[in-house]
Amino acid sequence: MTVTLESAREAFRDQLLDAGLLVRTQVDGLYGRSGVFEDVVDGIDRVVVAAGADQGARRLRFPPVLPRTVFERTDYLASFPNLTGSVHTFVGNDKDHARLLSLHETGADWTAELVPSEVVLIPAACHQVYPTLTGTLPEGGEILDVYSYCFRHEPAADPARMQAFRMHEYVRVGTPDDALAHREMWIARGLDVLGTLGLPATPEVANDPFFGRAGRLLAHNQRDAALKIELVVHLYGEDEPGTAVVSANCHQDHFGTPFEIRTADGETAHSACVGFGMERIALALFRHHGLDVDAWPADVRSAMGL
Amino acid sequence: MTVTLESAREAFRDQLLDAGLLVRTQVDGLYGRSGVFEDVVDGIDRVVVAAGADQGARRLRFPPVLPRTVFERTDYLASFPNLTGSVHTFVGNDKDHARLLSLHETGADWTAELVPSEVVLIPAACHQVYPTLTGTLPEGGEILDVYSYCFRHEPAADPARMQAFRMHEYVRVGTPDDALAHREMWIARGLDVLGTLGLPATPEVANDPFFGRAGRLLAHNQRDAALKIELVVHLYGEDEPGTAVVSANCHQDHFGTPFEIRTADGETAHSACVGFGMERIALALFRHHGLDVDAWPADVRSAMGL
């Protein structure tokens, strides 16, 4: 990363904080959002929902935590262990509690008294869906609409790299052709959504930050197969790397196999999803149209219902 | 708890699951919500927001995780250690990662390789607010509107005891009189909200489940001081204990002191909050008006904008 890009990101974050659109916490990448910021997120969502209106998607909403048993059936720990958020809790008795408090009071690591709970934070909204589909899909498969807060442990000053952020997804589960067609369609629709918002975007083959030595091979394979496409918006000029604000991803049987999902004709189901990164799209809007929402282009405001 | 009550709760949960309003996960107290369930939550929220419209509250939205340093400044670990959700992550190298994966593959406890992250799950929506107010309040104090997913580790078959649920709060921070008046006003307004929804409710002094031997004293003090009032709706008949769906709580200087919040005249700020338990109110509506939202009383549907 260039010094210029790094300082441009920090300057933008400081503008957002100074304008009160984001509220600082003591943790990098963790922010409060103002009412105006939330209105913008809701406005983006209206445009997303309009783009998906003909999908007949089954709307499901899940909390930001996922059963640990579900998490363990994905390969997230192999690919992104460093982004994981495992939830731990206290199950001891009075004596254990006294020890816990004594550790806390002396500034020691009180978490030594905790044990893993039954849940982890979700890294992506669609992970909640697959365990609910175990078995045989109806004829034609399923389209689902999910939207929730996700967590990725990557503290950063870059406002576009939040640790907790929202993702609205349309998920297709069906035949290999269904999954590929969903991804292709949503690359086009994603570009339309961003166009409606006045954000120039380009599709790029994704380059996920797989962990470690083994991860370099996984990243290489992902780029080679070109299964995941990101829609990228430039926040700091065309010469700097852009920010992925939407991703359209064909998972092949990556979830169908571990969650034992079959199509109506008995084959292992394939899946694909499009994910709209709500905070990142909001940041792109503030960057391209300015911090004063009232001064945004009339057609953008109108499409967002603002 | 009587066998009757326990089985009534489980029967109600099964009805909600069978109707597809809730979606089962592998963890007790963790559910997906259908689109209809979400429409009901949004409808409840319209009534809540209408009740708070004259408050001029500053709307702030926070993710479901809180800085660990903030959590450690409250006394939550002393009072409710068993409900805590501490978020842990992996910060190791390739060799540590290989060990993590080997533990996972052999079914051993892979979390031994994790370390505490900078965040914990939030137990109550308003905990995010206080650290942002450190310093001197403006004249007249502040009223804030916060709404987020909360986490409490208490797996249960009772659908009203979810591990992850939403709480919409109006928080008052100011003088002792401001705080007390806020709590009093919101007991009345909370009853109005529930009345509008067709839910008969009664205010009761709260009886929080403070942990352990020391907790019995804390619970006794809380009841004695009558600082926290809950609005209780009966879901299983008048003879069974009711379910607290709203709480109005005067914290005195419980947050003002650790977060060093002062009123304009230099005194330690007091605070109070009203919290609407969105899922619990939704469950009460399904219980009182039936599982078919279209058949609910017209005035209730109209007030909810359904």
Short mmCIF file of all heavy atoms in Angstrom, two decimals, chain A residues 263-283:
data_model
loop_
_atom_site.label_atom_id
_atom_site.label_comp_id
_atom_site.label_asym_id
_atom_site.label_seq_id
_atom_site.Cartn_x
_atom_site.Cartn_y
_atom_site.Cartn_z
N THR A 263 -30.28 -31.50 -5.15
CA THR A 263 -31.33 -30.99 -6.04
C THR A 263 -32.45 -32.03 -6.12
O THR A 263 -32.29 -33.17 -5.67
CB THR A 263 -30.79 -30.73 -7.44
OG1 THR A 263 -30.30 -31.97 -7.97
CG2 THR A 263 -29.65 -29.71 -7.41
N ALA A 264 -33.57 -31.63 -6.74
CA ALA A 264 -34.73 -32.52 -6.84
C ALA A 264 -34.37 -33.82 -7.55
O ALA A 264 -34.95 -34.87 -7.26
CB ALA A 264 -35.87 -31.81 -7.57
N ASP A 265 -33.39 -33.77 -8.48
CA ASP A 265 -33.01 -35.02 -9.16
C ASP A 265 -31.84 -35.73 -8.49
O ASP A 265 -31.18 -36.58 -9.11
CB ASP A 265 -32.80 -34.80 -10.66
CG ASP A 265 -31.75 -33.74 -10.94
OD1 ASP A 265 -31.11 -33.26 -9.97
OD2 ASP A 265 -31.56 -33.39 -12.11
N GLY A 266 -31.58 -35.37 -7.22
CA GLY A 266 -30.66 -36.19 -6.42
C GLY A 266 -29.18 -35.83 -6.51
O GLY A 266 -28.35 -36.46 -5.85
N GLU A 267 -28.83 -34.82 -7.32
CA GLU A 267 -27.43 -34.42 -7.42
C GLU A 267 -27.07 -33.48 -6.26
O GLU A 267 -27.94 -32.81 -5.70
CB GLU A 267 -27.18 -33.67 -8.73
CG GLU A 267 -27.49 -34.46 -9.99
CD GLU A 267 -26.55 -35.65 -10.17
OE1 GLU A 267 -25.34 -35.47 -9.93
OE2 GLU A 267 -27.05 -36.75 -10.51
N THR A 268 -25.77 -33.42 -5.95
CA THR A 268 -25.32 -32.45 -4.94
C THR A 268 -25.59 -31.04 -5.45
O THR A 268 -25.26 -30.70 -6.59
CB THR A 268 -23.81 -32.63 -4.68
OG1 THR A 268 -23.61 -33.92 -4.11
CG2 THR A 268 -23.29 -31.58 -3.71
N ALA A 269 -26.21 -30.21 -4.59
CA ALA A 269 -26.58 -28.86 -5.02
C ALA A 269 -25.34 -27.96 -5.14
O ALA A 269 -24.37 -28.12 -4.39
CB ALA A 269 -27.56 -28.25 -4.03
N HIS A 270 -25.39 -27.08 -6.10
CA HIS A 270 -24.42 -25.99 -6.20
C HIS A 270 -25.07 -24.72 -5.64
O HIS A 270 -26.29 -24.64 -5.53
CB HIS A 270 -24.00 -25.77 -7.66
CG HIS A 270 -22.97 -26.75 -8.12
ND1 HIS A 270 -21.92 -26.41 -8.95
CD2 HIS A 270 -22.81 -28.08 -7.84
CE1 HIS A 270 -21.18 -27.47 -9.17
NE2 HIS A 270 -21.69 -28.50 -8.52
N SER A 271 -24.23 -23.75 -5.30
CA SER A 271 -24.79 -22.50 -4.81
C SER A 271 -23.99 -21.31 -5.32
O SER A 271 -22.84 -21.45 -5.76
CB SER A 271 -24.85 -22.49 -3.27
OG SER A 271 -23.58 -22.63 -2.72
N ALA A 272 -24.64 -20.17 -5.29
CA ALA A 272 -24.00 -18.91 -5.64
C ALA A 272 -24.67 -17.81 -4.83
O ALA A 272 -25.81 -17.97 -4.38
CB ALA A 272 -24.15 -18.62 -7.13
N CYS A 273 -23.96 -16.73 -4.60
CA CYS A 273 -24.57 -15.62 -3.89
C CYS A 273 -24.04 -14.30 -4.42
O CYS A 273 -22.94 -14.24 -4.97
CB CYS A 273 -24.32 -15.71 -2.38
SG CYS A 273 -22.60 -15.46 -1.93
N VAL A 274 -24.87 -13.28 -4.30
CA VAL A 274 -24.39 -11.93 -4.49
C VAL A 274 -24.49 -11.25 -3.13
O VAL A 274 -25.49 -11.41 -2.43
CB VAL A 274 -25.20 -11.16 -5.56
CG1 VAL A 274 -26.67 -11.01 -5.15
CG2 VAL A 274 -24.59 -9.77 -5.81
N GLY A 275 -23.45 -10.56 -2.73
CA GLY A 275 -23.45 -9.87 -1.45
C GLY A 275 -23.21 -8.38 -1.64
O GLY A 275 -22.23 -8.00 -2.29
N PHE A 276 -24.12 -7.58 -1.12
CA PHE A 276 -23.95 -6.13 -1.16
C PHE A 276 -23.36 -5.68 0.17
O PHE A 276 -23.97 -5.91 1.22
CB PHE A 276 -25.29 -5.44 -1.42
CG PHE A 276 -25.79 -5.64 -2.83
CD1 PHE A 276 -26.53 -6.79 -3.17
CD2 PHE A 276 -25.50 -4.72 -3.82
CE1 PHE A 276 -26.97 -6.99 -4.47
CE2 PHE A 276 -25.95 -4.91 -5.12
CZ PHE A 276 -26.68 -6.05 -5.45
N GLY A 277 -22.19 -5.09 0.13
CA GLY A 277 -21.53 -4.60 1.35
C GLY A 277 -22.10 -3.22 1.66
O GLY A 277 -21.67 -2.21 1.07
N MET A 278 -23.06 -3.18 2.59
CA MET A 278 -23.86 -1.96 2.77
C MET A 278 -23.01 -0.78 3.25
O MET A 278 -23.16 0.34 2.76
CB MET A 278 -25.01 -2.24 3.74
CG MET A 278 -25.89 -3.42 3.32
SD MET A 278 -26.60 -3.29 1.64
CE MET A 278 -27.88 -2.07 1.94
N GLU A 279 -22.13 -1.02 4.21
CA GLU A 279 -21.30 0.09 4.70
C GLU A 279 -20.35 0.57 3.60
O GLU A 279 -20.10 1.77 3.46
CB GLU A 279 -20.51 -0.33 5.94
CG GLU A 279 -21.29 -0.21 7.25
CD GLU A 279 -22.28 -1.34 7.46
OE1 GLU A 279 -22.33 -2.27 6.64
OE2 GLU A 279 -23.03 -1.28 8.46
N ARG A 280 -19.78 -0.36 2.84
CA ARG A 280 -18.83 0.05 1.80
C ARG A 280 -19.52 0.86 0.71
O ARG A 280 -18.96 1.82 0.18
CB ARG A 280 -18.14 -1.17 1.19
CG ARG A 280 -17.08 -1.72 2.12
CD ARG A 280 -16.23 -2.73 1.38
NE ARG A 280 -15.12 -3.19 2.21
CZ ARG A 280 -14.22 -4.08 1.82
NH1 ARG A 280 -14.30 -4.62 0.60
NH2 ARG A 280 -13.25 -4.42 2.62
N ILE A 281 -20.75 0.47 0.35
CA ILE A 281 -21.48 1.25 -0.66
C ILE A 281 -21.79 2.64 -0.10
O ILE A 281 -21.65 3.65 -0.80
CB ILE A 281 -22.76 0.52 -1.11
CG1 ILE A 281 -22.42 -0.83 -1.75
CG2 ILE A 281 -23.55 1.38 -2.10
CD1 ILE A 281 -23.61 -1.69 -2.12
N ALA A 282 -22.17 2.69 1.19
CA ALA A 282 -22.43 3.99 1.82
C ALA A 282 -21.18 4.86 1.78
O ALA A 282 -21.25 6.06 1.44
CB ALA A 282 -22.92 3.79 3.26
N LEU A 283 -20.03 4.27 2.11
CA LEU A 283 -18.78 5.04 2.08
C LEU A 283 -18.49 5.55 0.67
O LEU A 283 -18.06 6.70 0.48
CB LEU A 283 -17.61 4.18 2.57
CG LEU A 283 -17.66 3.75 4.05
CD1 LEU A 283 -16.48 2.85 4.38
CD2 LEU A 283 -17.69 4.95 4.98
#
